[in-house]
């Protein structure tokens, strides 16, 4: 049996649950109290893709403005930083201050310490609030705050996947911007809501690791193809 050491815990605001950081022999795991694993450092290809795929669609990346919702283990942030140029600014909104602290320590080494990159701006708080205050600000908005539109950790995040949440994200985009959403599972109702907001939607299925096993869903949505 594998041995895990608990290194930290933090309350998840508004949920009564906790986020827990564990260290294994050569990996880390973030779990929700009750035992569900939110993510680990071994399987992050779909988190990487959430950062890479929308940035690949941009015509200019040199001075791109990107918003990421949910730092997690920093893989999406690291993937965005690989795609954008020296004058880019990448804002990461993270609800739980301890998650930011964990990424400043040994956990951050797994994603290459992207919080130390001079292009990174960290916003400790709710990405929903930031979206509402950011009209016309971003070329890419990449959201991964839970297990997907059917959240497991915090029902307050449901708004982000509602028609009004999608509309607020759309408003926070620059004219030729791209929205990207991560989900553990396909969700035709959510895809329908994106389309009903007038967005052109592409659904991608991405392996969590390598080329077999679990697959995750990423939606890319924009006003123009
Ligand atoms: C699944 S992880 C993100 C994984 C990330 N894509 C990566 O590459 O590691 C979800 C993160 O979103 C954060 N979060 C949850 N709700 C949030 C919200 N409303 N605003 C900002 N961050 C949130 C959680 O604390 C957690 O760190």
């Amino acid at each position: 049996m594998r041995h895990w050491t608990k290194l930290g815990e933090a309350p998840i605001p508004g949920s009564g649950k906790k986020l827990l950081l564990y260290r294994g022999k050569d990996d880390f795991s973030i779990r929700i109290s009750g035992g569900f694993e939110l993510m680990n450092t071994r399987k992050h290809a779909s988190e990487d893709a959430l950062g890479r795929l929308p940035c690949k669609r941009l015509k200019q990346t040199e001075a791109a403005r990107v918003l990421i919702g949910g730092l997690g283990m920093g893989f999406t942030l690291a993937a965005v930083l690989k795609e954008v140029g020296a004058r880019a600014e990448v804002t990461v909104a993270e609800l739980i201050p301890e998650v930011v602290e964990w990424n400043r320590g040994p956990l951050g080494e797994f994603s290459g310490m992207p919080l130390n990159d001079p292009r990174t701006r960290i916003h400790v708080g709710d990405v929903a609030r930031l979206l509402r205050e950011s009209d016309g600000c971003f070329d890419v908005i990449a959201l991964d705050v839970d297990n997907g539109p059917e959240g497991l950790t915090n029902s307050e995040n449901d708004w982000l996947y509602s028609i009004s949440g999608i509309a607020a994200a759309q408003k926070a985009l620059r004219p030729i911007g791209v929205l990207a959403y991560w989900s553990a599972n396909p969700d035709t109702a959510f895809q329908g809501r994106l389309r009903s907001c007038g967005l052109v939607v592409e659904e991608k299925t991405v392996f969590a690791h390598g080329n077999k096993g679990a697959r995750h869903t990423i939606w890319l949505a924009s006003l123009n193809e």
Side-chain angles (χ1 to χ4, degrees):
M1 204 170 104
R2 298 190 65 195
H3 181 71
W4 292 96
T5 308
K6 191 168 89 176
L7 294 188
E9 63 175 54
I12 303 173
S15 76
K17 297 178 196 159
K18 285 180 186 168
L19 214 53
L20 307 161
L21 177 67
Y22 285 88
R23 179 179 214 151
K25 188 166 163 281
D26 45 23
D27 52 1
F28 281 82
S29 167
I30 292 182
R31 300 183 196 162
I32 300 164
S33 47
F36 178 82
E37 183 177 70
L38 191 60
M39 63 182 302
N40 62 57
T41 49
R42 279 171 290 116
K43 296 180 180 172
H44 53 85
S46 64
E47 287 82 0
D48 301 345
L50 177 70
R52 186 181 65 251
L53 295 174
C55 291
K56 289 275 184 216
R57 286 194 172 192
L58 295 180
K59 293 214 165 44
Q60 75 81 23
T61 50
E62 176 57 24
R65 296 287 176 272
V66 178
L67 173 63
I68 297 169
L71 173 63
M73 292 181 159
F75 293 115
T76 301
L77 171 60
V80 167
L81 290 168
K82 274 191 198 138
E83 297 297 327
V84 297
R87 290 186 298 119
E89 268 183 32
V90 184
T91 301
V92 189
E94 171 53 53
L95 190 61
I96 299 178
E98 288 86 344
V99 171
V100 178
E101 274 171 40
W102 299 343
N103 277 272
R104 293 202 192 283
L107 170 63
E109 288 166 19
F110 286 82
S111 55
M113 304 302 283
L115 291 181
N116 293 346
D117 191 295
R119 298 167 295 170
T120 299
R121 313 272 179 275
I122 189 85
H123 170 91
V124 178
D126 187 352
V127 69
R129 187 158 175 198
L130 197 58
L131 276 181
R132 290 191 187 96
E133 295 167 357
S134 306
D135 286 5
C137 285
F138 299 108
D139 299 290
V140 165
I141 299 174
L143 295 177
D144 177 16
V145 291
D146 208 315
N147 213 41
E150 291 298 320
L152 282 172
T153 56
N154 188 349
S155 58
E156 289 180 14
N157 282 334
D158 291 353
W159 178 81
L160 285 167
Y161 304 93
S162 70
I163 296 269
S164 57
I166 296 166
Q170 238 179 308
K171 230 173 144 197
L173 281 180
R174 286 175 163 174
I176 315 181
V178 185
L179 295 180
Y181 293 84
W182 186 99
S183 176
N185 301 301
D187 187 323
T188 48
F190 175 63
Q191 192 166 325
R193 291 199 288 283
L194 288 170
R195 293 214 162 99
S196 72
C197 287
L199 294 159
V200 178
V201 183
E202 187 182 357
E203 183 185 79
K204 302 261 192 194
T205 305
V206 182
F207 284 108
H209 180 70
N211 56 8
K212 59 179 185 201
R215 293 190 290 177
H216 299 143
T217 302
I218 292 171
W219 294 280
L220 300 173
S222 55
L223 276 174
N224 306 295
E225 270 292 74

